[in-house]
Amino acid sequence: MASTGTQSTTIALPGSAGRLAAAWPDLVIPGVVTLCACMWRIGVPSYWRDESVSVVVGHSGLGTIASFTSRIDAVHGLYYLLMHLVTGLGTSEVITRTPSAVASGLAALGIAAVGRRLYSPKAGLYGGLLYGLLPITSRYGQEARQYALVSAGAVLAAYFLLRALEDARPQIRWYAAYAGTMGLLGWLHLYALFLLPAHAVTAGLWRHPQWRRRHRASWGLAALAAMVLVSPLVVVAHGQEAAQVSWLQRPGPRALYDLGLWVTGDGHVLLLLAVVVAVVVGTALLLARDHRNAAALTVPWMCVPFTLVWSVSQVHPVYHPRYILYSVCALALLGGVALDTAAVRLSAGRPWLAVASAVTVLVVLALATLPAQFAERGPRSRPDDLRSLAATLRQHSHPGDAVLYLPADRRAFATAYAGAFARLNATALQDHETNLQPGSFRSALATESRVWLVQIPPHDHRYRSAASPRDLAILKNDKGFRATDSRWFGSVKLTLYVRRTAGS
């Protein structure tokens, strides 16, 4: 018939194009759901101090970024360059946080793709959806920091590693893509390199009918290439380590339990228990059903980074849950395997019932996490409320009021809402981000009638320079000034000092 031309074109797609056409709903749905979840009320929470640095430094010139990262935060340098591009579109919360939301959506899509190849299409679909529904995904998908991007990169690296290990003979293209992705991840955040030991376990346990030694050697070369790519950053960051992680504490025996609560939403013990059961069941299924290669990828990905970071931190603290956020992706994958298998077994051979059962579980999970999801999206849900601080300045400051930042070099930690600081004089009592000499500081202070003190103390409240506590003592002990108002906005303290008048 004349119409068969079009039909034959359709039939001719059983290859990669046909597989992609069949697979795209299972891949796209988790990505879209996760993106929508992260975009929901993304602009409501106030910026906090870490985000403030991203916005302020990113919005500055390239020279300022280079200067800032040469002194501190070299580990975030690549992200600041990204933010330099993003803040060219604006500095609102929606604009600056959207890259993290997009990255979370891509991570969910990637989880679906990895799960599809490792176990089944539905396991990947459910794993991606589980990832999108976890409160911790929204928490960092709504933050102007790089942790969601690192998670997306970790999923991409796992996908490339999977493709490399699947081939009977090592293929350079997949190992090269893996090496490049891991190198990029290291530049996004150095602690992403804790994935390399996890991948070493994967490469060691992966069962090949042949060429096993060549695969292990190929992975070793790829890992070495990634380390070489990151080595310049390692050198620079080592010199900044005291300023970067000195505030971290040694994690205790409860760290794993606290990490679980952090993933599922603080206080949701029952939800944490459900996640633990899903992970245990998923792991057991992979081992029992001869999917040991799938277990070799997912279980080390979930367990090794935490185990290593926790162990190292007993001697030299480097642990914070957000530094290993990328391990949550593996947890979601194992949960997807458990959900897919349980739904199929309960359906008694009826595919529609299997899908309905899985969707019911996901809806229950979504409802159970709603309180945590709303809590994450409150105006004051972040550690600092810099928006309220800015509102206080807009309402009560006068043009030309002096402002004193302590420490001087932490100004970027508080000034994300730049408009509120525009009419303050930042050079009256400090030389940009440098403290004045004591005599010069006293002379400058004598000419001011109103001083806004913005204190951004380090996490451990140990100032690296004696200049900050010295200037604070001079201001407090100056009989010509009195503190009229003082408020904490999280860990940032704002105090107004007003010159005494006769009789006051």
Side-chain angles (χ1 to χ4, degrees):
M1 295 189 303
S3 61
T4 58
T6 303
Q7 293 175 347
S8 65
T9 302
T10 303
I11 295 172
L13 295 175
S16 59
R19 289 194 298 270
L20 180 61
W24 78 264
D26 291 340
L27 302 179
V28 172
I29 289 172
V32 171
V33 169
T34 303
L35 175 61
C36 290
C38 291
M39 292 301 296
W40 172 42
R41 294 171 63 89
I42 193 171
V44 174
S46 166
Y47 281 135
W48 69 292
R49 57 187 178 276
D50 281 14
E51 288 186 296
S52 180
V53 178
S54 296
V55 175
V56 174
V57 176
H59 194 51
S60 63
L62 294 176
T64 302
I65 294 175
S67 174
F68 187 83
T69 54
S70 68
R71 294 183 289 105
I72 188 175
D73 268 0
V75 292
H76 303 299
L78 182 59
Y79 183 72
Y80 293 151
L81 290 176
L82 171 64
M83 290 303 295
H84 182 66
L85 300 177
V86 173
T87 55
L89 303 175
T91 58
S92 71
E93 293 90 345
V94 174
I95 290 174
T96 60
R97 290 170 175 166
T98 292
S100 293
V102 172
S104 296
L106 291 175
L109 186 153
I111 289 169
V114 172
R116 184 182 188 88
R117 298 191 74 90
L118 278 178
Y119 193 80
S120 72
K122 288 297 183 284
L125 170 65
Y126 301 151
L129 289 171
L130 282 170
Y131 180 74
L133 293 176
L134 289 173
I136 197 60
T137 301
S138 290
R139 169 64 179 84
Y140 287 96
Q142 294 189 335
E143 178 161 295
R145 295 298 271 181
Q146 70 266 50
Y147 303 108
L149 280 74
V150 172
S151 293
V155 175
L156 183 62
Y159 179 80
F160 287 143
L161 180 61
L162 172 61
R163 294 302 302 267
L165 293 172
E166 280 179 336
D167 289 330
R169 299 182 64 173
Q171 299 291 323
I172 293 178
R173 58 173 177 161
W174 293 120
Y175 280 111
Y178 167 77
T181 303
M182 287 304 304
L184 180 64
L185 272 179
W187 278 93
L188 269 176
H189 200 275
L190 273 180
Y191 291 172
L193 296 180
F194 279 106
L195 272 172
L196 286 176
H199 292 164
V201 175
T202 299
L205 294 178
W206 197 274
R207 297 194 299 177
H208 294 279
Q210 55 184 341
W211 306 107
R212 179 176 298 180
R213 289 184 179 179
R214 289 196 179 185
H215 270 289
R216 291 175 179 173
S218 297
W219 177 84
L221 290 173
L224 179 61
M227 290 297 296
V228 170
L229 288 173
V230 184
S231 58
L233 178 62
V234 173
V235 173
V236 175
H238 180 70
Q240 299 178 351
E241 188 177 22
Q244 281 294 123
V245 296
S246 60
W247 58 275
L248 293 173
Q249 302 295 316
R250 184 173 63 184
R254 276 180 49 102
L256 184 59
Y257 175 72
D258 292 338
L259 175 63
L261 289 180
W262 175 78
V263 169
T264 57
D266 288 343
H268 289 72
V269 179
L270 291 178
L271 182 57
L272 172 59
L273 179 63
V275 170
V276 170
V277 170
V279 168
V280 171
V281 170
T283 303
L285 288 169
L286 292 180
L287 295 173
R289 288 194 163 199
D290 200 30
H291 286 82
R292 294 185 181 178
N293 282 346
L297 177 65
T298 52
V299 176
W301 181 1
M302 180 180 67
C303 298
V304 171
F306 171 82
T307 302
L308 281 177
V309 175
W310 187 91
S311 300
V312 170
S313 294
Q314 302 309 304
V315 178
H316 180 70
V318 293
Y319 173 78
H320 192 282
R322 67 189 180 211
Y323 296 162
I324 54 170
L325 178 67
Y326 48 78
S327 293
V328 176
C329 303
L331 181 151
L333 264 173
L334 290 168
V337 170
L339 181 56
D340 178 37
T341 305
V344 170
R345 288 187 177 181
L346 291 173
S347 67
R350 288 169 287 185
W352 67 267
L353 183 58
V355 173
S357 301
V359 169
T360 300
V361 171
L362 292 169
V363 170
V364 170
L365 173 65
L367 293 175
T369 61
L370 269 181
Q373 299 283 12
F374 276 111
E376 291 289 0
R377 291 162 171 80
R380 297 175 177 83
S381 60
R382 299 300 187 255
D384 309 305
D385 184 10
L386 298 184
R387 185 185 292 142
S388 293
L389 184 151
T392 300
L393 284 176
R394 286 191 181 98
Q395 183 176 1
H396 299 290
S397 66
H398 297 168
D401 283 357
V403 58
L404 178 66
Y405 299 99
L406 295 180
D409 61 356
R410 292 175 71 90
R411 173 178 176 178
F413 286 72
T415 54
Y417 300 98
F421 296 83
R423 58 182 179 179
L424 302 182
N425 186 351
T427 60
L429 301 176
Q430 288 171 330
D431 184 9
H432 299 288
E433 294 189 355
T434 304
N435 295 84
L436 300 177
Q437 293 297 316
S440 299
F441 180 73
R442 288 189 177 89
S443 299
L445 191 61
T447 66
E448 301 298 329
S449 59
R450 289 165 56 93
V451 177
W452 290 95
L453 174 64
V454 182
Q455 291 176 263
I456 316 110
H459 292 274
D460 56 4
H461 291 271
R462 295 178 181 177
Y463 291 98
R464 294 189 301 274
S465 168
S468 293
R470 181 200 67 205
D471 288 354
L472 179 60
I474 292 174
L475 177 59
K476 284 185 172 181
N477 295 328
D478 191 319
K479 301 300 184 181
F481 283 95
R482 60 186 178 89
T484 61
D485 189 20
S486 184
R487 289 180 58 188
W488 284 95
F489 298 88
S491 62
V492 182
K493 185 179 183 181
L494 180 67
T495 306
L496 173 61
Y497 284 85
V498 178
R499 183 165 294 281
R500 298 178 185 273
T501 58
S504 64

